[in-house]
Amino acid sequence: MRVLLIAHTHIERDIPGYVSHAVASTEPWVFETHADELVEQGGRLCYLSWNRPNPATATNKGYVANIIEKGHFSVLEHASATFYIDGVTRNFTHELIRHRHLSFSEVSQRYVDAGAFEFVEHPGLAPVSDPVRYWMQEAVENAFDAYGTLVDDLNEQGYLRKEARQAARHVLPGGTETKILVTGNLRAWRDVLRKRLELDANGEPLADLEFYQVAREILIELKRIAPNAFQDFEVPA
Ligand SMILES: Cc1cc2nc3c(=O)[nH]c(=O)nc-3n(C[C@H](O)[C@H](O)[C@H](O)COP(=O)(O)OP(=O)(O)OC[C@H]3O[C@@H](n4cnc5c(N)ncnc54)[C@H](O)[C@@H]3O)c2cc1C
């Protein structure tokens, strides 16, 4: 599994005719990241409050903490992050795309030869004993063989590659590898991570383990580009 942060919010400086709060203020401003800065910019614009008399909200961390506490979440929507994720399964992306505020581009199993993809083992299969593991691998190989045979058969009968692949893919395992590009604003990511990193009473993930592991990687990156917008999130061990 690979979770790569490939794009995130960048603030343009020195735009003619535009004065940001950082410039408008006479006091120095300190921002660690553009994403967190943009969140504060959105919040302060609402009230044209560029002065910072209250020490609790005078820092970006304090200001964003107050935004989160008050539930003024819309200002978190200005900053966004895009991840390229591969080495994950179709089962995982089936769950990921349920999150309606994220945006997706995923490899097509209709236009791309899925026979070239790997089988990605679910983390929960790690303890499977050797004889059973052998049997599982054989079952997976049989499924991929069946896919190839079905595509060839339909191609020989004159069906287009797209027509053959869209039908044949039905025999592929849910653990077939996929690649996906996913973009979300910070509010949307916060919502997804709350749901997919939640633990049960025994401290076990409530979400599917593969999703939980991806969510953990995403959180690590988001805390890097927006530490204050994710200050109330702990990266699980
Ligand atoms: C542990 C776990 C187990 C799950 N098990 C299953 C399962 O067995 N079967 C299954 O089908 N799904 C399951 N899901 C998926 C779950 O039902 C949701 O589809 C998924 O978590 C996306 O969350 P969401 O629908 O709350 O919001 P998102 O689509 O991520 O949207 C975020 C928020 O926006 C608001 N929102 C979005 N769209 C609307 C709307 N149309 N109307 C009103 N408010 C809206 C809601 O407040 C929502 O919480 C599971 C999820 C988890 C975390």
Side-chain angles (χ1 to χ4, degrees):
M1 177 242 294
R2 268 199 316 173
V3 178
L4 305 177
L5 177 73
I6 62 162
H8 59 95
T9 289
H10 168 84
I11 296 181
E12 288 293 332
R13 308 289 180 195
D14 305 325
I15 302 168
Y18 175 71
V19 182
S20 78
H21 61 266
V23 177
S25 170
T26 50
E27 292 173 46
W29 292 72
V30 179
F31 296 106
E32 280 180 57
T33 69
H34 287 212
D36 278 337
E37 177 177 344
L38 193 57
V39 169
E40 179 162 351
Q41 196 157 323
R44 290 197 180 273
L45 181 72
C46 294
Y47 313 106
L48 292 180
S49 62
W50 311 125
N51 298 322
R52 290 163 290 160
N54 180 357
T57 54
T59 61
N60 181 249
K61 186 173 184 184
Y63 190 87
V64 176
N66 189 49
I67 289 275
I68 294 166
E69 193 202 320
K70 296 275 165 35
H72 189 180
F73 293 120
S74 61
V75 295
L76 293 162
E77 294 170 19
H78 294 298
S80 66
T82 300
F83 292 90
Y84 168 82
I85 305 174
D86 67 8
V88 287
T89 68
R90 274 259 164 175
N91 282 346
F92 158 70
T93 57
H94 178 79
E95 295 192 351
L96 179 69
I97 64 173
R98 292 293 297 276
H99 293 284
R100 289 163 280 187
H101 299 294
L102 300 178
S103 306
F104 312 97
S105 300
E106 182 173 14
V107 172
S108 168
Q109 282 188 342
R110 299 175 67 220
Y111 288 90
V112 175
D113 176 17
F117 290 126
E118 302 286 323
F119 172 72
V120 177
E121 199 173 299
H122 188 274
L125 290 171
V128 162
S129 58
D130 278 348
V132 179
R133 174 169 300 280
Y134 177 75
W135 169 81
M136 174 184 76
Q137 285 162 349
E138 210 174 28
V140 169
E141 267 171 44
N142 286 340
F144 278 97
D145 284 349
Y147 169 82
T149 305
L150 286 167
V151 170
D152 291 345
D153 184 72
L154 291 166
N155 282 161
E156 277 163 25
Q157 293 186 50
Y159 289 96
L160 298 174
R161 278 193 307 200
K162 179 187 80 172
E163 292 170 325
R165 288 169 180 164
Q166 73 187 10
R169 67 174 167 165
H170 281 245
V171 299
L172 290 171
T176 302
E177 192 210 343
T178 189
K179 305 169 198 299
I180 194 164
L181 199 61
V182 50
T183 299
N185 63 55
L186 301 190
R187 181 186 195 174
W189 280 124
R190 282 178 56 89
D191 188 74
V192 173
L193 296 184
R194 277 272 177 258
K195 286 167 179 153
R196 302 297 176 171
L197 288 173
E198 195 181 351
L199 301 177
D200 67 14
N202 299 317
E204 297 297 325
L206 274 167
D208 177 85
L209 195 51
E210 187 183 16
F211 204 147
Y212 178 83
Q213 291 181 350
V214 172
R216 184 182 176 280
E217 296 298 310
I218 289 173
L219 176 58
I220 290 169
E221 291 300 313
L222 290 175
K223 280 181 87 72
R224 191 167 63 77
I225 62 157
N228 294 335
F230 289 87
Q231 61 186 284
D232 51 335
F233 282 68
E234 291 292 327
V235 177

